[in-house]
Amino acid sequence: MAGYKEHISVSGLLGIGYGTIACLLIGFTPIQGIIAGVLTWIGGMLPDLDAETGRPIKELFSLTAAVASFVAMRSMIRIDSDPDAAVLMAIVTYAAVRYGAAAILGKFAVHRGMFHSLPALIIAGESIFLTYVSDSYAVKFLMAGGISLGFLSHLILDEVYSVERKGAKIRLKKSSGTAIKWFGKGLFGNAVAYAILLTMTYITLVESGVLVPLQQVAPTDLTPPVQQASPFDTTRR
């Protein structure tokens, strides 16, 4: 399994490349490129939120909570909310993620469980797509792609480090196959992960305009059209 330094180094380099390409080749602004690069870097650390307690994990929770609080405050300001209410929302969001989420994950999450999986990667990308405030879908997809790229780098790196080579012999460690997977060992963890995935995927498809919400679908008018009487109908006078 790759260490904390390896993950932040690889995802950091990917973030620099991703942000640079977004600016120079695709046409996004430098600020958007920097934000996308930072999200790529953060995504490279996200799977370890379920890891054992330690200084790196506490720093990761603090960073995640800070990003979440800024997103919440920006969303409140976007809808012309009261500035004091926006600040309060940022504080509440930070506390909820930094302490509430940390306590819940510490009690229920299993390291190398569904946090290290492809469904978790998709959920991370969809979360950024839905929470990042922008009128441009291209920008929202840029940010979602950044967090997903960083997340994927973590999973791949863990699988690479699960291969051990001694001389000419190559063997797989017990951790092999526990990062890039669709299902974990626990039924409860799988159920929760896929419930979140299906819900967020539906919301994302509606938000992006791919699907139309059921309540907005116009019901079919079953009333037969009224036929006008023919002027040659001799049965009516």
Side-chain angles (χ1 to χ4, degrees), residues 62-109:
S62 298
L63 179 60
T64 305
V67 172
S69 64
F70 279 121
V71 170
M73 184 169 63
R74 189 181 178 202
S75 299
M76 293 287 288
I77 295 175
R78 176 85 173 192
I79 61 176
D80 295 328
S81 179
D82 180 68
D84 294 331
V87 173
L88 178 60
M89 176 60 72
I91 296 173
V92 172
T93 302
Y94 181 88
V97 175
R98 175 62 183 86
Y99 301 104
I104 294 174
L105 287 177
K107 186 174 182 179
F108 295 104

Side-chain angles (χ1 to χ4, degrees), residues 175-189:
S175 60
S176 178
T178 60
I180 300 180
K181 61 181 182 293
W182 287 100
F183 296 96
K185 294 182 179 180
L187 178 61
F188 177 77

Side-chain angles (χ1 to χ4, degrees), residues 61-197:
F61 265 109
S62 298
L63 179 60
T64 305
V67 172
S69 64
F70 279 121
V71 170
M73 184 169 63
R74 189 181 178 202
S75 299
M76 293 287 288
I77 295 175
R78 176 85 173 192
I79 61 176
D80 295 328
S81 179
D82 180 68
D84 294 331
V87 173
L88 178 60
M89 176 60 72
I91 296 173
V92 172
T93 302
Y94 181 88
V97 175
R98 175 62 183 86
Y99 301 104
I104 294 174
L105 287 177
K107 186 174 182 179
F108 295 104
V110 178
H111 188 45
R112 284 301 186 98
M114 286 303 288
F115 259 83
H116 283 73
S117 68
L118 296 176
L121 183 155
I122 300 172
I123 291 172
E126 291 174 341
S127 299
I128 296 300
F129 178 85
L130 293 174
T131 56
Y132 192 85
V133 181
S134 176
D135 293 329
S136 171
Y137 284 142
V139 173
K140 293 168 75 71
F141 277 116
L142 173 71
M143 304 307 170
I147 203 82
S148 300
L149 177 62
F151 203 108
L152 180 61
S153 73
H154 185 113
L155 301 184
I156 293 176
L157 206 58
D158 277 349
E159 292 294 348
V160 170
Y161 272 74
S162 68
V163 179
E164 187 177 37
R165 181 176 181 178
K166 290 184 178 181
K169 294 183 179 180
I170 298 177
R171 74 178 187 89
L172 298 178
K173 299 179 181 178
K174 292 182 179 180
S175 60
S176 178
T178 60
I180 300 180
K181 61 181 182 293
W182 287 100
F183 296 96
K185 294 182 179 180
L187 178 61
F188 177 77
N190 289 329
V192 171
Y194 273 92
I196 296 173
L197 175 62

Side-chain angles (χ1 to χ4, degrees), residues 9-26 33-34 36-38 40-41 142 146 149:
S9 299
V10 171
S11 61
L13 291 174
L14 282 175
I16 294 174
Y18 187 73
T20 302
I21 292 174
C23 294
L24 300 182
L25 300 182
I26 305 179
I34 292 173
V38 171
T40 305
W41 174 62
L142 173 71
L149 177 62

